[in-house]
């Protein structure tokens, strides 16, 4: 079986969608059951909401860890997972799911928008509030130039060389991208924002002010409300409304909106799974959804008494892993083993057995 781009499909026992804390722990527990597992996440790094939304904020309710940041927790989970050598496919957005009956039993074929296909016998959805995707710039008609002159992810440098680049956004990502393109070949760089105040740290603000003072970066204050194009359909300029209710025409060759990310459940919502208020309904004892073989853990899962806490996600991931092991090994007894005393588990974790 091949992916849409011609690469062979990857066969594994289980796939975890989401590399946040619950997803990483689900992969760890599946690995302890000696099951093959792959992890997918739309973000280019692990950690999910924990690393994306509050990487530097303290977390106080992880048992045995008095305090850690979201980024520190992610690092510890990855360190714990490392001995099991679980493949992480980051920057992969789930595009489709199909039942697979080709010599794999009752399984699934999962496709990503980046051209990867995985075949598995169990699926764990640990998508949190959904895949994080770039927030679009709300200008009528702008989508016509997406991936031609408008890029929500960083394009190769050849795209902006000797061009007028407009970076739109209020935060660190926008400011750093404006400084980067200005230093690497853009003919002119304009940073577009409603005000001259940016949500950045003082050191970066000093760097931005120096670039503005040296005319390496130009500042345009206002809200984009329209577009101008030529007869050949090329984007020429943005129409910008200022605080004084004026209209400016801002020339642009390449537009790079950096307005942050927002969660979207995406095609998962179209898989026919029972849902309640955009959450997947699961059986509390196994975390199985309404479709046998598909499980949900963490913030995306719903059942009576559900609490959206990281430590609850760990518990749910553990129950789901055991349920999957029992499903994939019918008729076999799945013994409860403790990692402190089990030679098999210690061997899996790369530790010396007693």
């Amino acid at each position: 079986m091949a992916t849409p781009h011609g690469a062979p499909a990857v066969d594994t026992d289980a796939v975890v969608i989401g590399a946040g804390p619950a997803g990483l722990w689900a992969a760890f527990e599946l690995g302890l059951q000696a099951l093959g597992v792959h992890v997918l996440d739309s973000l280019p790094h692990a950690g999910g909401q924990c690393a994306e939304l509050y990487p530097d904020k303290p977390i106080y309710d992880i048992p045995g860890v008095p305090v850690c940041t979201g980024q520190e927790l992610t690092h510890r989970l990855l360190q714990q997972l490392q001995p099991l050598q679980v493949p992480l496919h980051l920057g992969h957005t789930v595009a489709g799911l199909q039942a697979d009956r080709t010599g794999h039993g009752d399984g699934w074929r999962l496709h990503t928008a980046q051209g990867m296909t995985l075949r598995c016998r169990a699926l764990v959805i640990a998508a949190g509030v959904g895949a994080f995707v770039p927030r679009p710039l709300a200008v009528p008609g702008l989508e016509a130039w997406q991936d031609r002159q408008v890029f929500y992810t960083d394009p190769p440098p050849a795209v902006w060389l000797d061009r007028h680049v407009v970076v739109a956004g209020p935060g660190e990502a926008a400011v750093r991208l404006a400084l980067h393109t200005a230093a690497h070949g853009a003919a002119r760089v304009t940073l577009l924002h409603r005000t001259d105040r940016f949500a950045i740290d003082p050191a970066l603000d000093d760097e931005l002010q120096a670039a503005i003072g040296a005319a390496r970066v130009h500042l345009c204050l206002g809200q984009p409300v329209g577009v101008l194009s030529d007869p050949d359909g090329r984007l020429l300029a943005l129409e910008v409304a200022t605080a004084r209710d004026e209209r400016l025409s801002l020339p642009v060759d390449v537009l790079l909106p950096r307005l942050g990310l927002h969660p979207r459940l995406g095609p998962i919502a179209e898989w026919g799974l029972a849902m309640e208020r955009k959450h997947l309904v699961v059986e509390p004892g196994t975390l199985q959804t309404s479709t046998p073989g598909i499980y949900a853990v963490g913030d995306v899962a719903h059942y009576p008494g559900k609490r959206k806490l990281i430590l609850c996600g760990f518990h749910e991931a553990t129950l789901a892993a055991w349920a999957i092991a029992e499903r994939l090994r019918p008729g076999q007894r799945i013994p409860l083993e403790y990692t402190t005393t089990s030679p098999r588990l210690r061997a899996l974790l790369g530790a010396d057995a007693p």
Side-chain angles (χ1 to χ4, degrees), residues 43-45 52-53 132-135 259-263:
L43 290 173
H45 52 76
E52 187 65 29
L53 301 184
F132 285 95
V133 295
R135 193 179 299 277
L259 306 176
L261 302 173
H262 70 110

Side-chain angles (χ1 to χ4, degrees), residues 151-162:
F151 299 89
Y152 288 97
T153 58
D154 293 352
V159 169
W160 72 68
L161 288 178
D162 301 320

Side-chain angles (χ1 to χ4, degrees), residues 7-354:
V10 176
D11 285 317
T12 187
D13 292 315
V15 170
V16 177
I17 301 175
L24 294 176
W25 191 251
F28 179 81
E29 287 289 339
L30 287 163
L32 286 189
Q33 297 292 343
L35 295 172
V37 56
H38 287 241
V39 178
L40 298 174
D41 200 291
S42 63
L43 290 173
H45 52 76
Q49 298 177 61
C50 193
E52 187 65 29
L53 301 184
Y54 46 95
D56 300 317
K57 292 184 178 180
I59 301 171
Y60 298 101
D61 61 347
I62 305 300
V65 181
V67 61
C68 68
T69 66
Q71 194 58 58
E72 289 168 345
L73 177 60
T74 300
H75 173 74
R76 293 183 185 209
L77 288 166
L78 289 171
Q79 188 177 32
Q80 197 165 15
L81 186 61
Q82 194 278 329
L84 297 174
Q85 299 183 336
V86 172
L88 303 182
H89 306 286
L90 303 176
H92 278 263
T93 304
V94 175
L97 180 72
Q98 298 170 310
D100 180 35
R101 303 292 184 265
T102 57
H104 209 67
D106 290 338
W108 306 97
R109 188 183 304 118
L110 185 72
H111 306 285
T112 75
Q114 290 68 34
M116 185 177 187
T117 296
L118 298 104
R119 295 192 305 184
C120 60
R121 296 189 289 158
L123 186 65
V124 180
I125 301 172
V129 290
F132 285 95
V133 295
R135 193 179 299 277
L137 189 60
V139 176
L142 188 63
E143 62 275 4
W145 290 279
Q146 188 166 332
D147 297 328
R148 293 193 294 139
Q149 289 179 262
V150 180
F151 299 89
Y152 288 97
T153 58
D154 293 352
V159 169
W160 72 68
L161 288 178
D162 301 320
R163 305 291 172 83
H164 185 176
V165 175
V166 174
V167 181
E172 179 178 340
V175 171
R176 290 196 182 279
L177 185 57
L179 294 171
H180 178 77
T181 52
H184 292 85
R188 180 183 175 92
V189 176
T190 299
L191 185 57
L192 173 62
H193 184 38
R194 289 180 293 103
T195 75
D196 60 356
R197 302 181 67 179
F198 292 84
I200 55 178
D201 62 51
L204 183 58
D205 190 53
D206 289 343
E207 190 177 350
L208 173 62
Q209 297 307 319
I212 293 172
R216 296 193 304 273
V217 173
H218 304 267
L219 196 59
C220 180
L221 304 182
Q223 184 72 26
V225 293
V227 295
L228 299 173
S229 61
D230 65 16
D232 295 328
R234 181 172 178 80
L235 178 63
L236 294 180
L238 291 176
E239 183 183 3
V240 178
T242 70
R244 297 179 179 179
D245 201 26
E246 299 172 333
R247 291 294 189 270
L248 303 177
S249 179
L250 176 61
V252 57
D253 293 319
V254 178
L255 176 61
L256 304 175
R258 293 299 181 271
L259 306 176
L261 302 173
H262 70 110
R264 185 173 62 88
L265 198 55
I268 293 174
E270 302 169 2
W271 290 352
L273 306 174
M275 300 187 69
E276 183 173 320
R277 297 182 180 179
K278 298 184 179 180
H279 294 78
L280 298 176
V281 176
V282 298
E283 197 282 317
T286 64
L287 282 299
Q288 185 168 253
T289 68
S290 58
T291 298
I294 300 182
Y295 302 75
V297 301
D299 285 356
V300 75
H302 174 74
Y303 52 87
K306 166 75 179 185
R307 296 292 181 266
K308 289 188 176 182
L309 297 172
I310 293 175
L311 70 110
C312 295
F314 291 158
H315 174 65
E316 293 163 5
T318 303
L319 293 180
W322 279 79
I324 289 170
E326 291 172 349
R327 176 181 175 82
L328 299 190
R329 296 167 182 158
Q332 295 185 30
R333 178 176 172 271
I334 309 297
L336 176 64
E337 295 183 287
Y338 299 101
T339 55
T340 53
T341 58
S342 168
R344 184 184 71 85
L345 295 185
R346 290 174 62 84
L348 279 174
L349 295 174
D352 293 330

